[in-house]
Amino acid sequence: MNQPPQDAEVIIIGGGIIGCSIAFHLTQIGIKDVVLFERQKLTSGTTWHAAGLVAQLRASQNMTRLAQYTAQLFKDLSDITGQETGYQQTGSLTLALNPERLEELKRQATLARAFDIDCETISPEDALQHWPGLNIEQAVGGVYLSGDGQTNPIDTTLAFAKGARQGGALIAEDTEVARLIIEDDRAVGVQLRSGESIRAKTVVLAGGMWSRHFAAQHQITLPLHAAEHFYLVTEPIPSFTSMRPTLRIPDEQTYYKYDAGKLLLGAFELNAKPWGMSGIPDDFCFDSLPEDFTHFEPLLDQAVNRFPELEQAGIQLFFNGPESFTPDNRYLLGEAPEIKQLFVAAGFNSIGIQSSGGAGKVLADWIKQGRPPMDLWDVDIRRTFPFQNSDHFLFDRTHESLGLLYDLHWPDRQFKTARNQRLSPLHSSLIANGALMGEVAGYERPLVYQGKDESFAGIYTYGRPIWFDACQRECDAIRGTVALFDQSSYPIYALSGASALTCLQWICGRDMDIEINQVVYTQLLNDAGGIEADVTILRSAANEFLITGGCATARRDAYFLKTHAE
């Protein structure tokens, strides 16, 4: 770029598929004055080496809606922009090797049908029809989704960029943003490494694995960490004469993608390798990481057994590249709670391609409307906490989080790594009385109390929980005697001042003009009448209220209260 503009309505930092999608969607809804800065070349971070898988079904209703939107958009994007994307509707097949996995897949199939996603429960023999040569030993069934596909990540990003430019956006490559310009806790522009400053009403940080360290310059919590992600591409395989659906075998942590007559074999291993703990090199551009075939070899051995033709196929490419992962395997989206008008879209946990369309659309709508267009709590950046941003926490958790993409997603499953971050004063007493601990927002809290001859640790099921009777004992005890609840993990906010009552009367569903020392249960409401939080409020003085909120939503609720108090 010869000379940057002096101002813009929206500045986007990062030229991967996410940043380009946001620019495209902003121009589609009438925000034309958009400037995107990319420090190197478009796609040069992690986008260029992505596998390009496009799946419609996610773990929740709202994430599935966004994935559906992305899949449909990719079908139409080349017609909209005139840039080919390489998108193909190939279908996808997930194979279960045990009854528990099959139960999980059947539950997902039920969710898919609720959204009119074509999802068929299939037998191992059906899987063999889709994937000739597959070893179906141990297989107990699976699901087939005909509407899933794959795309070329680079071409798709360039299509978003071309569409954004057609809508009026300026995209500047080889232009690094050094810092945000912040005034009165509000992002009002950026300063380039070259020294120029550009003002803006809104700034979007979509810098991928660089985002955390960039945000840290401004005391912004953005917990994500890069991890090494491995795949190989074979020489042409003789039997690969036509397109095959993407094959996932999560019980072996592997996926198989037909790639122009070759096979791309990738993995999400259970013990991952975090990378870049001391920061991502500034000159990292279209780069790969050192090979570690020893790490990948056990997964390859499983794959050779599962698809024997692989044993005779030469390896054309063995690739190791970084992807960024978050502590809970969900990406980070929305307005940063520390700085107004700074929006974030980062930490996509190796599903950035299939998330790009939906994430770009809802963030663009959020910027324009001033609030999320739908319930985005699954990925809302305000669900995170500062303790999750420490180097050691992220390093430990990333060992686990990458593999959880393909591990069984049990109900009530708990993380094993980076635990005991926040302990109650009663923690040792709870443990001594048989508490089996779970974690919420870093707090260790009792899930259930084990009897002397009981042990529930690590036992998960899709059926009747083993701890069901123990839970009944607790209910009986509470009903018949006296119980002590440890609520030290619940946040309490103090709202005081001459306008405290006026503020609460505006944002609460209940009449808050109550007696001193009276307590009420109510909801915090937004300006559209929607519920933002469940809270309990004590009026402690004429102009002072104590508000008790939820543990997991502490930062989100604090942000809401602070914003409306102002």
Side-chain angles (χ1 to χ4, degrees), residues 61-78:
Q61 170 183 329
N62 288 321
M63 294 302 100
T64 297
R65 287 170 61 189
L66 297 186
Q68 276 184 289
Y69 171 80
T70 299
Q72 183 59 52
L73 176 62
F74 284 178
K75 293 178 184 178
D76 304 331
L77 192 57
S78 61

Side-chain angles (χ1 to χ4, degrees), residues 129-416:
Q129 295 298 312
H130 288 288
W131 260 82
L134 187 66
N135 176 3
I136 57 173
E137 290 180 5
Q138 299 177 296
V140 295
V143 293
Y144 174 70
L145 288 88
S146 63
D148 286 357
Q150 59 181 254
T151 196
N152 183 305
I154 293 178
D155 290 344
T156 305
T157 304
L158 296 180
F160 278 135
K162 184 175 181 180
R165 288 189 179 104
Q166 290 169 345
L170 172 65
I171 296 179
E173 297 179 285
D174 300 310
T175 309
E176 183 177 358
V177 174
R179 295 188 58 82
L180 299 174
I181 302 172
I182 299 172
E183 296 174 0
D184 298 323
D185 294 327
R186 181 181 297 271
V188 297
V190 300
Q191 182 179 351
L192 303 181
R193 186 68 66 192
S194 57
E196 296 97 330
S197 296
I198 301 94
R199 309 277 295 187
K201 295 179 181 178
T202 301
V203 179
V204 180
L205 176 57
M209 58 187 175
W210 285 268
S211 299
R212 174 177 171 245
H213 287 278
F214 181 88
Q217 298 180 85
H218 309 90
Q219 289 72 55
I220 296 167
T221 296
L222 195 56
L224 58 84
H225 199 295
E228 300 183 31
H229 179 51
F230 300 87
Y231 63 75
L232 63 79
V233 180
T234 69
E235 299 286 351
I237 295 177
S239 65
F240 276 25
T241 57
S242 60
M243 177 62 72
R244 295 188 179 199
T246 299
L247 171 64
R248 296 178 178 87
I249 307 183
D251 295 310
E252 295 179 340
Q253 298 90 53
T254 50
Y255 63 89
Y256 301 68
K257 172 193 170 187
Y258 176 90
D259 189 8
K262 306 168 188 175
L263 172 65
L264 186 152
L265 172 70
F268 292 100
E269 66 276 22
L270 293 179
N271 186 20
K273 294 184 64 180
W275 177 78
M277 187 175 180
S278 59
I280 311 300
D282 289 338
D283 59 353
F284 196 90
C285 176
F286 294 114
D287 287 334
S288 60
L289 303 180
E291 294 182 2
D292 187 349
F293 194 76
T294 301
H295 182 80
F296 189 78
E297 189 173 20
L299 299 166
L300 178 58
D301 290 342
Q302 285 186 135
V304 168
N305 176 66
R306 187 60 54 195
F307 185 60
E309 289 180 55
L310 185 57
E311 187 172 16
Q312 304 302 319
I315 297 178
Q316 184 183 83
L317 171 68
F318 179 68
F319 185 82
N320 178 13
E323 299 273 1
S324 59
F325 289 81
T326 63
D328 60 5
N329 257 347
R330 291 176 280 149
Y331 53 88
L332 305 175
L333 198 72
E335 189 173 15
E338 298 93 342
I339 304 292
K340 296 183 181 66
Q341 292 306 116
L342 173 67
F343 286 80
V344 172
F348 277 83
N349 303 283
S350 205
I351 58 166
I353 306 304
Q354 62 184 294
S355 302
S356 60
K361 175 174 171 52
V362 295
L363 195 67
D365 289 342
W366 193 338
I367 290 169
K368 183 172 183 177
Q369 299 172 11
R371 62 174 177 266
M374 58 187 286
D375 180 7
L376 292 170
W377 174 244
D378 284 354
V379 294
D380 193 322
I381 188 175
R382 293 168 294 181
R383 76 184 186 277
T384 63
F385 292 87
F387 76 86
Q388 296 174 319
N389 207 34
S390 78
D391 290 341
H392 292 291
F393 178 92
L394 288 169
F395 186 80
D396 290 346
R397 179 57 61 83
T398 303
H399 279 290
E400 180 181 13
S401 59
L402 180 146
L404 291 181
L405 285 171
Y406 275 14
D407 207 3
L408 276 161
H409 303 97
W410 298 108
D412 304 312
R413 176 165 186 157
Q414 297 292 313
F415 289 103
K416 297 177 181 178

